[in-house]
């Protein structure tokens, strides 16, 4: 099969990690005789500098003509004083809206090899395996009106959802829970917000279609704590846009680094794949970035856009095996460098590529 993938590497460590993700993706696909056709498009800060806009029309057209889009990261300190609709991040939000995917799947899992890298005790995180389903096209990110009225010294955003927007993402979360441990946690702030009351009522309605899934509700503030105290109790977690953004970064504590977390956005015209971390300006350009989140994201492309489960699983196994062998990027060797081999971004990419080859070609 042939798969057309648009790569929008973006800013900071974006190009560094996507380079490795693409080469692993191509290695995995080639082993089964599949072809990945890569095209590149500018987005974010690099597009502002080159094209005068964070989402050039050319990138948008190319994205809509692709089977999948792989994004690195956008953002940089030099753009921090710009208004939200002109910033690099606006390019990413525009791309998400145009592609139409509303269910952002963010798996977070504890790997035994990385337990020592987490500030949480090993017995708390051992076996934790959570799938966040973050609603991606609603809430405060897209709600109108929104404005900063400088004269009045007042600013407002709007958290808004329709019943249909909640129902469609809830349905996907229930379906995913059916294929896993059949437990769904819906996170809201229904003790304070009307939007959350609509959210909760709608999730309860949809639950009637999935009698085999156990549904529970948590308030977002308590959930932030439960995630750190008892992460193993959660299977699929569905929540609105901003809550999902915050809780998914928090779950980086369970995996040992933000640099480990992949994501896939489904339900729209073209699926969008992005590691959940940002452009990491503090380490950009130094070859220190962990490419594993981006590499695990490439596995999700094979799974969700190409139906190549064997190849997707091989990438995930390769990541585990390379970690088992003691190889780490600097973010994964913070507290325990002894006995480990610390690798840069490219070297880690090469290790995974070799392992994927061994698993798929020499198997
Ligand atoms: P960040 O995720 O870029 O970095 C947070 C911390 O985690 C930093 O210390 C960074 O060095 C570290 N980190 C992140 N990814 C890493 C990796 N792969 N390997 C090793 N360490 C890693 O978040 P931030 O600093 O809050 O934001 C920086 C910029 O990125 C901002 O402009 C923000 O808007 C943007 N951002 C973009 C995306 C995206 O494009 N999807 C996501 C989050 C943040
Ligand atoms: C993420 C990021 C983005 C978000 C920003 C960069 C727009 O933090 O993908 O988690 O808030 O969705
Ligand atoms: Mn985020």
């Amino acid at each position: 099969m042939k798969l057309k993938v648009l790569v929008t590497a973006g800013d900071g460590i974006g190009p560094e990690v996507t380079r490795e993700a693409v080469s692993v993706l191509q290695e995995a696909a080639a082993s089964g005789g599949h072809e990945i056709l890569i095209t590149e498009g500018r987005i974010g800060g690099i597009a502002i500098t080159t094209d005068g806009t964070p989402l050039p029309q050319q990138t948008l057209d190319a994205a809509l003509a692709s089977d999948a889009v792989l994004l690195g990261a956008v953002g940089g300190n030099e753009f921090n004083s710009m208004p939200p609709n002109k910033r690099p991040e606006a390019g990413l939000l525009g791309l998400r809206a145009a592609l139409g995917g509303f269910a952002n799947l963010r798996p977070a899992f504890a790997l035994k090899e990385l337990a020592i890298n987490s500030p949480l005790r090993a017995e708390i995180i051992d076996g934790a395996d959570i799938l966040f389903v973050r609603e991606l096209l609603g809430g405060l990110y897209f709600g109108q009106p929104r404005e900063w009225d400088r004269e009045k010294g007042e600013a407002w955003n709007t958290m808004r959802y329709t019943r249909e927007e909640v129902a469609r993402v809830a349905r996907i979360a229930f379906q995913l829970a059916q294929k896993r441990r059949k437990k769904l946690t819906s996170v809201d702030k229904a003790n304070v917000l009307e939007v959350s009351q609509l959210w909760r009522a709608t999730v309860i309605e949809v639950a009637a279609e999935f009698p085999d899934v156990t549904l529970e509700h948590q308030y977002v503030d308590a959930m932030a704590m439960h995630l750190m105290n008892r992460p193993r109790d959660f299977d699929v977690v569905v929540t609105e846009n901003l809550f999902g953004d915050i809780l998914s970064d928090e779950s980086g504590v369970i995996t040992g680094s933000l640099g480990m977390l992949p994501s896939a956005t489904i339900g729209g015209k073209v699926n969008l794949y992005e590691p959940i971390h940002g452009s990491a300006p503090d380490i950009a350009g130094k070859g220190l970035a962990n490419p594993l989140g981006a590499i695990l994201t490439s596995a999700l492309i094979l799974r969700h856009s190409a139906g190549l489960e064997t190849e997707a699983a091989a990438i995930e196994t390769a990541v585990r095996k390379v970690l088992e062998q003691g190889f780490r990027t600097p973010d994964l060797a913070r507290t325990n460098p002894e006995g480990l081999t610390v690798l840069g971004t490219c070297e880690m990419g090469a290790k995974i590529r070799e392992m994927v080859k061994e698993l798929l070609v020499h198997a």
Side-chain angles (χ1 to χ4, degrees):
M1 75 137 54
K2 271 192 192 162
L3 195 75
K4 279 196 287 183
V5 179
L6 176 74
V7 178
T8 51
D11 308 315
I13 63 169
E16 300 172 52
V17 297
T18 42
R19 197 175 305 125
E20 303 313 315
V22 166
S23 78
V24 170
L25 179 68
Q26 286 184 314
E27 180 72 56
S31 69
H34 306 288
E35 209 181 320
I36 307 279
L37 303 170
I38 300 286
T39 48
E40 291 181 17
R42 280 190 291 272
I43 196 166
I46 178 78
I48 294 175
T49 309
T50 315
D51 310 274
T53 166
L55 180 58
Q57 190 62 43
Q58 205 182 342
T59 301
L60 194 52
D61 292 344
L64 287 164
S66 304
D67 298 313
V69 178
L70 171 64
L71 178 121
V74 296
N77 295 334
E78 63 271 43
F79 306 104
N80 283 352
S81 57
M82 296 173 93
N85 64 346
K86 299 263 189 299
R87 289 173 60 113
E89 290 83 349
L92 172 54
L93 296 174
L95 181 65
R96 286 177 182 168
L99 298 184
F102 55 85
N104 178 220
L105 317 185
R106 298 191 157 190
F109 40 81
L111 295 177
K112 241 201 316 291
E113 291 67 34
L114 297 185
I116 193 163
N117 205 57
S118 174
L120 299 177
R121 289 200 307 277
E123 70 266 28
I124 300 285
I125 54 175
D126 184 33
D129 175 6
I130 305 172
L131 177 57
F132 289 92
V133 181
R134 170 188 177 194
E135 200 293 325
L136 206 62
L137 293 185
L140 285 166
Y141 280 68
F142 292 95
Q144 294 290 345
R146 55 183 296 163
E147 196 179 329
W148 177 7
D149 186 326
R150 285 161 202 267
E151 259 163 49
K152 273 202 212 151
E154 195 180 334
W156 53 93
N157 290 91
T158 305
M159 186 188 264
R160 188 184 194 101
Y161 271 102
T162 65
R163 193 176 158 278
E164 287 65 36
E165 284 169 333
V166 180
R168 66 184 184 174
V169 74
R171 217 161 260 129
I172 289 205
F174 275 109
Q175 283 161 358
L176 290 162
Q178 279 183 320
K179 294 192 210 132
R180 291 170 49 106
R181 302 192 303 278
K182 297 191 169 48
K183 180 176 174 190
L184 179 64
T185 304
S186 173
V187 177
D188 60 38
K189 187 73 187 172
N191 50 345
V192 176
L193 303 174
E194 285 80 0
V195 178
S196 282
Q197 292 181 332
L198 168 85
W199 180 279
R200 190 176 286 214
T202 306
V203 172
I204 290 171
E205 265 177 50
V206 173
E209 299 166 31
F210 302 91
D212 54 331
V213 176
T214 304
L215 172 66
E216 70 165 13
H217 306 274
Q218 294 288 352
Y219 297 128
V220 64
D221 48 354
M223 184 65 185
M225 177 189 63
H226 296 319
L227 266 180
M228 299 294 97
N229 273 332
R230 47 181 188 91
R232 273 183 306 215
D233 288 356
F234 302 101
D235 178 12
V236 179
V237 176
V238 66
T239 190
E240 69 90 45
N241 207 342
L242 182 65
F243 298 163
D245 178 45
I246 296 168
L247 295 179
S248 60
D249 263 38
E250 191 192 11
S251 68
V253 173
I254 300 165
T255 58
S257 170
L258 193 54
M260 290 301 296
L261 299 172
S263 92
T265 304
I266 62 169
K269 292 187 213 121
V270 179
N271 290 350
L272 172 63
Y273 298 86
E274 25 174 341
I276 83 160
H277 64 71
S279 56
D282 52 340
I283 56 165
K286 299 183 181 155
L288 299 175
N290 181 353
L292 296 177
I295 288 171
L296 290 167
T297 300
S298 72
L300 297 183
I301 298 180
L302 294 176
R303 176 167 299 130
H304 295 286
S305 285
L308 297 177
E309 180 54 37
T310 308
E311 287 78 359
I315 294 176
E316 290 162 348
T317 305
V319 167
R320 269 199 305 277
K321 282 192 179 280
V322 165
L323 292 172
E324 266 166 34
Q325 291 175 348
F327 296 106
R328 300 284 188 276
T329 44
D331 58 308
L332 299 175
R334 278 188 305 237
T335 50
N336 55 327
E338 210 168 308
L340 300 175
T341 310
V342 178
L343 301 178
T345 312
C346 299
E347 292 81 11
M348 181 55 97
K351 282 277 171 218
I352 304 291
R353 211 156 51 234
E354 282 163 32
M355 187 60 80
V356 164
K357 198 169 186 173
E358 204 175 307
L359 289 169
L360 288 172
V361 181
H362 308 300

